[in-house]
């Protein structure tokens, strides 16, 4: 692993602007499952996500991290140097070390942004921050997904077509076992009639969380410009650069504080 993770600057080598870390378990890439993985995502899902971020946020500094890296690529110094963390996982949720989950949770509560993607709804960090099973209904039949905007004035939905059309995607369906979101941004509909709360936000401590469901490993969803627009919007919304990384704490009040 390079110092502070696999860090690369966007915008012709400039290392200014937001600091983004893209985390991917990397299991599908390592096992070439599905067999078209190398064709769809030759640089891995993390590579496609990082590419889209660099295009949309050329001033950002972007690094990637994988499950197989020491400390899963998320040691203290990387998280301290991250404004927004993107999380993609599917097959290896149980292999994520609890100490790393503790560390990520502490940074989110202190103000680091977190974007949880697709099957990352079952990640340890998402379940812990939300306090529910995060279970849902699913079917994988390469069906069309229509992502409908229900909060047109929100920064994350800015410039996103309504509906956003994904030609082929895994179907997700309600009931989605999450707490009532602080903000509901997108609802998806599928060929079978299913609907799903596909874009939601939560506030935890000082941190901002955005969950966005499109992005299965079998389909080139993360190459779609509209999807990349949603994610870069989400990064801008979740980032709080310069904020002291401290979680809310108990404060003893002086009776004469006024």
């Amino acid at each position: 692993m390079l110092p502070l993770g696999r860090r690369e600057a966007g915008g012709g080598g400039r290392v200014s602007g937001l600091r983004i870390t893209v985390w991917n378990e990397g299991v599908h890439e390592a096992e070439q499952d599905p067999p078209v993985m190398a064709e769809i995502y030759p640089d891995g899902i993390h590579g496609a996500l990082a590419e889209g971020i660099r295009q949309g946020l050329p001033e950002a500094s972007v690094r990637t991290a994988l499950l197989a890296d020491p400390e899963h690529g998320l040691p203290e110094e990387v998280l301290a140097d991250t404004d927004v963390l993107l999380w993609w996982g599917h097959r290896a949720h149980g292999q994520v070390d609890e100490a790393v989950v503790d560390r990520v949770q502490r940074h989110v509560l202190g103000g680091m942004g977190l974007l949880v993607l697709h099957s990352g709804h079952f990640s340890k960090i998402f379940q812990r921050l939300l306090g529910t099973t995060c279970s849902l209904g699913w079917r994988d039949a390469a069906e069309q997904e229509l992502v409908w905007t229900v909060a047109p004035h929100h920064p994350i939905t800015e410039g996103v077509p309504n509906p956003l059309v994904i030609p082929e995607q895994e179907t997700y369906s309600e009931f989605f076992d999450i707490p009532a979101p602080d903000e509901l941004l997108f609802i998806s509909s599928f060929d079978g009639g299913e609907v799903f709360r596909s874009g939601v936000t939560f506030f935890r401590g000082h941190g901002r969380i955005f969950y966005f469901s499109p992005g299965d490993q079998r389909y080139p969803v993360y190459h779609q410009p509209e999807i990349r627009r949603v994610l870069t919007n989400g990064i801008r919304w979740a980032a709080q650069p310069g904020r002291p990384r401290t979680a809310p704490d108990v404060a003893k009040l002086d009776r004469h504080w006024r």
Side-chain angles (χ1 to χ4, degrees):
M1 183 175 69
L2 297 174
L4 291 183
R6 301 181 181 85
R7 184 172 183 170
E8 300 178 37
R14 290 167 291 176
V15 189
S16 59
L18 299 178
R19 304 164 299 170
I20 314 301
T21 299
V22 179
W23 190 89
N24 174 24
E25 66 182 31
V27 173
H28 286 282
E29 291 85 348
E31 298 180 356
Q32 283 303 292
D33 178 24
V36 294
M37 192 77 196
E39 177 182 346
I40 297 175
Y41 293 114
D43 298 316
I45 290 174
H46 52 290
L49 290 167
E51 178 186 66
I53 295 167
R54 294 186 187 108
Q55 289 177 354
L57 300 171
E59 296 292 331
S61 172
V62 185
R63 65 165 65 88
T64 61
L66 297 171
L67 178 72
D69 291 336
E71 299 185 73
H72 307 327
L74 300 174
E76 176 64 28
E77 61 267 27
V78 166
L79 293 175
D81 193 48
T82 297
D83 293 312
V84 179
L85 172 66
L86 284 75
W87 191 283
W88 196 99
H90 181 214
R91 296 263 297 272
H93 299 308
Q95 297 179 36
V96 177
D97 189 87
E98 294 291 344
V100 173
V101 180
D102 292 343
R103 193 179 303 144
V104 173
Q105 179 186 25
R106 174 166 50 81
H107 278 273
V108 171
L109 296 178
M112 182 182 72
L114 177 66
L115 269 62
V116 178
L117 306 177
H118 192 54
S119 46
H121 66 89
F122 268 148
S123 64
K124 289 182 178 180
I125 183 60
F126 196 56
Q127 289 180 325
R128 182 183 294 187
L129 287 166
L130 268 57
T132 57
T133 69
C134 301
S135 297
L136 46 75
W138 69 278
R139 176 181 64 252
D140 194 356
E143 295 172 283
Q144 178 178 264
E145 177 178 357
L146 300 179
V147 183
W148 299 91
T149 296
V150 297
H153 303 298
H154 195 280
I156 294 179
T157 66
E158 181 181 353
V160 178
N162 188 25
L164 191 168
V165 180
I166 303 174
E168 293 183 329
Q169 170 63 7
E170 182 180 22
T171 296
Y172 274 9
S173 177
E174 298 291 341
F175 173 59
F176 187 17
D177 184 23
I178 57 174
D182 290 303
E183 299 170 312
L184 175 60
L185 308 183
F186 299 108
I187 295 175
S188 287
S189 60
F190 298 87
D191 289 348
E194 295 84 4
V195 295
F196 185 72
R197 288 169 289 170
S198 53
V200 294
T201 70
F202 299 92
F203 299 94
R204 292 294 184 269
H206 293 310
R208 300 175 180 180
I209 303 168
F210 173 44
Y211 172 75
F212 189 58
S213 66
D216 186 76
Q217 69 278 358
R218 295 181 180 274
Y219 312 107
V221 175
Y222 291 129
H223 294 297
Q224 281 194 231
E226 304 91 343
I227 296 294
R228 291 181 168 187
R229 177 63 182 261
V230 171
L231 298 180
T232 54
N233 285 353
I235 289 168
R236 289 191 185 98
W237 171 83
Q240 301 180 80
R243 182 187 184 94
R245 192 63 60 82
T246 56
D249 200 359
V250 175
K252 186 177 184 299
L253 301 179
D254 186 335
R255 176 62 182 82
H256 304 288
W257 62 272
R258 289 181 295 179

